[in-house]
Amino acid sequence: MEIKNLAQLAMEMAKMRIEIEQGKEIHIEWSSEKGKTPTQRNALHKWLEILADTLNSGGFDMSVWFTRYAKKGIGAKWTKHSVKEIFYKPTLEAMTGKTSTEAMNTVEPSEICEIVGKALSERLGITPPAWPTRFGE
C-alpha cells in the first residue's frame, strides 16, 4: 500500500486500530524508497517486446535457449511475457531478492535490462535493444 497524504494515513491507522481491537495481528512493511513509475513500467514492457522480436528475428526461438542452456527443447516464439519470466524476473530476484517487478525501485528496471542484455549478447551474440525512452532514442 502506498500512503501519499495525512488523510490517507489517518484512515489506514483507524482501520488498523479496529483490527487490533478485534485481536488480529497487523504486519507492516515500511519503505520510503520510491517504486518504479508508470513510464518505467511501459518502458520495461516495450524493452521486453523489442528483445523478444530481436531473439525471434535472429533465429533464436525458445528451443535454442532451452536446448543450449536448460536442456529442454521448446520450439516456441519469444513473447514479452516469456522474456520477462525466463530472463528478467530470475535476474531481478538474483540481484535484488525481489520476486515481482512491481517491487522494483526507480533504478532497477534499466539495471536489470542491462544485465540481461549483456548475458544474452555474450551467450547468443545478439545486440540487445537499448532502454526505451519517450523520445525514441
Side-chain angles (χ1 to χ4, degrees):
M1 167 189 328
E2 189 173 327
I3 297 176
K4 296 184 178 185
N5 57 53
L6 292 175
Q8 188 179 7
L9 174 61
M11 185 170 43
E12 292 304 321
M13 288 177 66
K15 289 178 190 176
M16 286 187 281
R17 181 182 178 148
I18 292 169
E19 296 286 318
I20 291 170
E21 288 172 347
Q22 293 175 350
K24 297 179 182 174
E25 288 185 12
I26 297 175
H27 299 273
I28 299 172
E29 184 176 320
W30 182 293
S31 173
S32 60
E33 187 175 89
K34 187 174 181 182
K36 74 178 186 300
T37 66
T39 301
Q40 287 176 307
R41 180 183 303 109
N42 293 340
L44 171 59
H45 288 167
K46 187 63 176 176
W47 185 86
L48 294 167
E49 183 179 329
I50 294 168
L51 180 56
D53 290 343
T54 301
L55 289 165
N56 290 328
S57 64
F60 298 106
D61 67 12
M62 291 175 75
S63 67
V64 172
W65 178 262
F66 284 103
T67 301
R68 288 186 191 172
Y69 301 102
K71 300 196 177 17
K72 298 176 187 174
I74 299 174
K77 296 287 184 193
W78 290 101
T79 64
K80 70 180 175 185
H81 179 73
S82 62
V83 169
K84 184 177 185 180
E85 294 301 316
I86 293 168
F87 299 128
Y88 194 88
K89 286 176 114 179
T91 305
L92 173 68
E93 185 172 5
M95 299 304 294
T96 67
K98 297 174 182 175
T99 58
S100 169
T101 57
E102 291 301 312
M104 291 189 297
N105 64 33
T106 57
V107 176
E108 291 164 342
S110 59
E111 284 181 343
I112 301 300
C113 285
E114 186 177 324
I115 293 165
V116 169
K118 183 177 183 213
L120 291 175
S121 176
E122 290 171 356
R123 286 173 177 80
L124 300 178
I126 64 163
T127 302
W131 180 254
T133 66
R134 61 183 167 159
F135 305 110
E137 299 169 349

